[in-house]
Amino acid sequence: MLREIWGFLKRHRRKFFVTGAMIGGGVLLYRYAVAKVKELQEKEAADCLTHARRQHHFDSNQRTCNMTVLSMLPSLRESLMRALNSEVLTSQLKTRPSNKVEIWEELKIMSLTRTIVAVYISAMLVVFLRVQLNIIAGYMYLDSLQNESEKESATATQKVQQKYLQSVQYLLGKGLVDLIATVTKAVELQVKSIPLKQGVTLQNIEEIFTTIRKEVEHSQQNGYGHGGTAALSQYILDKDSEKDEACALSTEEIVLVKLMRETRDMVESRDFHFVLGKCLDTMFSKLMDKIAEYFIPNTSSEQRTINLHNVAVPLAKVIPVVNGLIHTVCGDAPNPFIQELLVLEPVKDFAANVYEAFSQTEEDKVDES
């Protein structure tokens, strides 16, 4: 019996070896597959956790952006009203002065300038802060990924953040002063020759705004070229801001210079000016809607089907309306002008792209390439 079994095994030993190898290989393959699936599941879970963490950080940062913009509006409004104090002129007119016509002419220029500058400075503030806060948020996110032994080498230190975020003061300081000068010149060019008693329609006012926008946005100054809103970059960042820091030696100063260069690249990019242009289009459209409210005739309901674009109002009556719109454009929260900008899809997409670009790890960059 044993001989028969032994003979059977000898005759079929090759088959047994092959079968054994196949079974062993199958077991090894199964174990490898299980390990690989587990590895992929763990990687997928880690990626999901990283994505959720980054998304939460991004969403939190956008809320910070919104609150920061809204919190800066009161001081922005006060700065504008100090620089273009039309209230002094309106007070003078109440005393019936002998030079009433001259004061009205000055008020005409100042009121238009103040409201148009309010639109520009608000839109630029919204988009610029989106750039600043998302760049620094990207740096902070990368710093948060470091382990405890690396914390001391964090790039976005508190001191760096404070110095970097202070650069917005250029827009609210010298940038604002220069913008006022540019807009004043454009306004004078367009409305100085229009008599105060001349009737103007909504279409006339819209044409005035359009022409002024072309003068302001397409001008070429301080090395900034034509096209889109590129000329507005000069009011956002000081062109010579990096020269003072060219010899920076400390780690923090080097990081700050790098941040400013990256910010300048973003501010001068096509994407930035595309988004800024969309914001300005939205704000000027809302401005026209607000002015249109004062063109509605105070008549019976049967006659209110009148086309507002055919209604002409003396320019002298439009001036006080435009003059008071700074309290709407730069009004306290809730501010419909600013709120609409904050929910614009181009603004949200741009913010996401900036954050994504500056929160990527080296591994993310390698995976994308």
Side-chain angles (χ1 to χ4, degrees), residues 360 362-369:
Q360 284 188 323
E362 291 301 321
E363 291 180 1
D364 292 333
K365 294 175 183 177
V366 170
D367 290 341
E368 286 190 359
S369 61

mmCIF file with all atom_site columns, all heavy atoms in Angstrom, residues 360 362-369:
data_model
loop_
_atom_site.group_PDB
_atom_site.id
_atom_site.type_symbol
_atom_site.label_atom_id
_atom_site.label_alt_id
_atom_site.label_comp_id
_atom_site.label_asym_id
_atom_site.label_entity_id
_atom_site.label_seq_id
_atom_site.pdbx_PDB_ins_code
_atom_site.Cartn_x
_atom_site.Cartn_y
_atom_site.Cartn_z
_atom_site.occupancy
_atom_site.B_iso_or_equiv
_atom_site.pdbx_formal_charge
_atom_site.auth_seq_id
_atom_site.auth_comp_id
_atom_site.auth_asym_id
_atom_site.auth_atom_id
_atom_site.pdbx_PDB_model_num
ATOM 1  N N   . GLN A 1 360 ? 0.344  74.270 -0.547  1.00 0.00 ? 360 GLN A N   1
ATOM 2  C CA  . GLN A 1 360 ? 0.795  72.980 -1.056  1.00 0.00 ? 360 GLN A CA  1
ATOM 3  C C   . GLN A 1 360 ? 2.124  72.569 -0.433  1.00 0.00 ? 360 GLN A C   1
ATOM 4  O O   . GLN A 1 360 ? 3.044  73.380 -0.337  1.00 0.00 ? 360 GLN A O   1
ATOM 5  C CB  . GLN A 1 360 ? 0.949  73.021 -2.578  1.00 0.00 ? 360 GLN A CB  1
ATOM 6  C CG  . GLN A 1 360 ? -0.356 72.966 -3.341  1.00 0.00 ? 360 GLN A CG  1
ATOM 7  C CD  . GLN A 1 360 ? -0.115 72.814 -4.830  1.00 0.00 ? 360 GLN A CD  1
ATOM 8  O OE1 . GLN A 1 360 ? 0.822  73.368 -5.383  1.00 0.00 ? 360 GLN A OE1 1
ATOM 9  N NE2 . GLN A 1 360 ? -0.962 72.053 -5.495  1.00 0.00 ? 360 GLN A NE2 1
ATOM 10 N N   . GLU A 1 362 ? 5.569  70.048 -0.534  1.00 0.00 ? 362 GLU A N   1
ATOM 11 C CA  . GLU A 1 362 ? 6.441  69.608 -1.625  1.00 0.00 ? 362 GLU A CA  1
ATOM 12 C C   . GLU A 1 362 ? 5.916  68.319 -2.260  1.00 0.00 ? 362 GLU A C   1
ATOM 13 O O   . GLU A 1 362 ? 6.027  68.131 -3.462  1.00 0.00 ? 362 GLU A O   1
ATOM 14 C CB  . GLU A 1 362 ? 7.875  69.384 -1.101  1.00 0.00 ? 362 GLU A CB  1
ATOM 15 C CG  . GLU A 1 362 ? 8.589  70.672 -0.703  1.00 0.00 ? 362 GLU A CG  1
ATOM 16 C CD  . GLU A 1 362 ? 8.701  71.658 -1.853  1.00 0.00 ? 362 GLU A CD  1
ATOM 17 O OE1 . GLU A 1 362 ? 8.945  71.213 -2.996  1.00 0.00 ? 362 GLU A OE1 1
ATOM 18 O OE2 . GLU A 1 362 ? 8.530  72.868 -1.618  1.00 0.00 ? 362 GLU A OE2 1
ATOM 19 N N   . GLU A 1 363 ? 5.335  67.431 -1.442  1.00 0.00 ? 363 GLU A N   1
ATOM 20 C CA  . GLU A 1 363 ? 4.767  66.194 -1.971  1.00 0.00 ? 363 GLU A CA  1
ATOM 21 C C   . GLU A 1 363 ? 3.611  66.479 -2.915  1.00 0.00 ? 363 GLU A C   1
ATOM 22 O O   . GLU A 1 363 ? 3.458  65.829 -3.949  1.00 0.00 ? 363 GLU A O   1
ATOM 23 C CB  . GLU A 1 363 ? 4.279  65.301 -0.815  1.00 0.00 ? 363 GLU A CB  1
ATOM 24 C CG  . GLU A 1 363 ? 5.417  64.728 0.020   1.00 0.00 ? 363 GLU A CG  1
ATOM 25 C CD  . GLU A 1 363 ? 4.899  63.855 1.157   1.00 0.00 ? 363 GLU A CD  1
ATOM 26 O OE1 . GLU A 1 363 ? 3.658  63.696 1.253   1.00 0.00 ? 363 GLU A OE1 1
ATOM 27 O OE2 . GLU A 1 363 ? 5.720  63.346 1.940   1.00 0.00 ? 363 GLU A OE2 1
ATOM 28 N N   . ASP A 1 364 ? 2.774  67.470 -2.548  1.00 0.00 ? 364 ASP A N   1
ATOM 29 C CA  . ASP A 1 364 ? 1.636  67.834 -3.419  1.00 0.00 ? 364 ASP A CA  1
ATOM 30 C C   . ASP A 1 364 ? 2.143  68.325 -4.764  1.00 0.00 ? 364 ASP A C   1
ATOM 31 O O   . ASP A 1 364 ? 1.584  67.998 -5.808  1.00 0.00 ? 364 ASP A O   1
ATOM 32 C CB  . ASP A 1 364 ? 0.811  68.945 -2.752  1.00 0.00 ? 364 ASP A CB  1
ATOM 33 C CG  . ASP A 1 364 ? 0.105  68.458 -1.500  1.00 0.00 ? 364 ASP A CG  1
ATOM 34 O OD1 . ASP A 1 364 ? -0.179 67.252 -1.428  1.00 0.00 ? 364 ASP A OD1 1
ATOM 35 O OD2 . ASP A 1 364 ? -0.160 69.286 -0.601  1.00 0.00 ? 364 ASP A OD2 1
ATOM 36 N N   . LYS A 1 365 ? 3.206  69.126 -4.736  1.00 0.00 ? 365 LYS A N   1
ATOM 37 C CA  . LYS A 1 365 ? 3.746  69.677 -5.983  1.00 0.00 ? 365 LYS A CA  1
ATOM 38 C C   . LYS A 1 365 ? 4.316  68.578 -6.859  1.00 0.00 ? 365 LYS A C   1
ATOM 39 O O   . LYS A 1 365 ? 4.169  68.591 -8.083  1.00 0.00 ? 365 LYS A O   1
ATOM 40 C CB  . LYS A 1 365 ? 4.828  70.709 -5.672  1.00 0.00 ? 365 LYS A CB  1
ATOM 41 C CG  . LYS A 1 365 ? 4.286  71.956 -4.972  1.00 0.00 ? 365 LYS A CG  1
ATOM 42 C CD  . LYS A 1 365 ? 5.409  72.903 -4.570  1.00 0.00 ? 365 LYS A CD  1
ATOM 43 C CE  . LYS A 1 365 ? 4.875  74.106 -3.807  1.00 0.00 ? 365 LYS A CE  1
ATOM 44 N NZ  . LYS A 1 365 ? 5.943  75.009 -3.351  1.00 0.00 ? 365 LYS A NZ  1
ATOM 45 N N   . VAL A 1 366 ? 4.974  67.598 -6.234  1.00 0.00 ? 366 VAL A N   1
ATOM 46 C CA  . VAL A 1 366 ? 5.544  66.483 -6.981  1.00 0.00 ? 366 VAL A CA  1
ATOM 47 C C   . VAL A 1 366 ? 4.430  65.648 -7.605  1.00 0.00 ? 366 VAL A C   1
ATOM 48 O O   . VAL A 1 366 ? 4.516  65.243 -8.771  1.00 0.00 ? 366 VAL A O   1
ATOM 49 C CB  . VAL A 1 366 ? 6.420  65.589 -6.070  1.00 0.00 ? 366 VAL A CB  1
ATOM 50 C CG1 . VAL A 1 366 ? 6.806  64.300 -6.785  1.00 0.00 ? 366 VAL A CG1 1
ATOM 51 C CG2 . VAL A 1 366 ? 7.680  66.352 -5.650  1.00 0.00 ? 366 VAL A CG2 1
ATOM 52 N N   . ASP A 1 367 ? 3.356  65.389 -6.831  1.00 0.00 ? 367 ASP A N   1
ATOM 53 C CA  . ASP A 1 367 ? 2.230  64.588 -7.334  1.00 0.00 ? 367 ASP A CA  1
ATOM 54 C C   . ASP A 1 367 ? 1.572  65.251 -8.532  1.00 0.00 ? 367 ASP A C   1
ATOM 55 O O   . ASP A 1 367 ? 1.173  64.588 -9.491  1.00 0.00 ? 367 ASP A O   1
ATOM 56 C CB  . ASP A 1 367 ? 1.173  64.401 -6.228  1.00 0.00 ? 367 ASP A CB  1
ATOM 57 C CG  . ASP A 1 367 ? 1.682  63.473 -5.122  1.00 0.00 ? 367 ASP A CG  1
ATOM 58 O OD1 . ASP A 1 367 ? 2.645  62.729 -5.401  1.00 0.00 ? 367 ASP A OD1 1
ATOM 59 O OD2 . ASP A 1 367 ? 1.116  63.502 -4.008  1.00 0.00 ? 367 ASP A OD2 1
ATOM 60 N N   . GLU A 1 368 ? 1.453  66.603 -8.498  1.00 0.00 ? 368 GLU A N   1
ATOM 61 C CA  . GLU A 1 368 ? 0.821  67.329 -9.599  1.00 0.00 ? 368 GLU A CA  1
ATOM 62 C C   . GLU A 1 368 ? 1.677  67.329 -10.856 1.00 0.00 ? 368 GLU A C   1
ATOM 63 O O   . GLU A 1 368 ? 1.185  67.294 -11.965 1.00 0.00 ? 368 GLU A O   1
ATOM 64 C CB  . GLU A 1 368 ? 0.519  68.772 -9.177  1.00 0.00 ? 368 GLU A CB  1
ATOM 65 C CG  . GLU A 1 368 ? -0.650 68.861 -8.231  1.00 0.00 ? 368 GLU A CG  1
ATOM 66 C CD  . GLU A 1 368 ? -1.108 70.289 -8.013  1.00 0.00 ? 368 GLU A CD  1
ATOM 67 O OE1 . GLU A 1 368 ? -0.486 71.206 -8.608  1.00 0.00 ? 368 GLU A OE1 1
ATOM 68 O OE2 . GLU A 1 368 ? -2.065 70.501 -7.266  1.00 0.00 ? 368 GLU A OE2 1
ATOM 69 N N   . SER A 1 369 ? 3.009  67.381 -10.636 1.00 0.00 ? 369 SER A N   1
ATOM 70 C CA  . SER A 1 369 ? 3.916  67.390 -11.786 1.00 0.00 ? 369 SER A CA  1
ATOM 71 C C   . SER A 1 369 ? 4.047  65.995 -12.392 1.00 0.00 ? 369 SER A C   1
ATOM 72 O O   . SER A 1 369 ? 4.322  65.856 -13.563 1.00 0.00 ? 369 SER A O   1
ATOM 73 C CB  . SER A 1 369 ? 5.286  67.922 -11.372 1.00 0.00 ? 369 SER A CB  1
ATOM 74 O OG  . SER A 1 369 ? 5.869  67.095 -10.380 1.00 0.00 ? 369 SER A OG  1
#
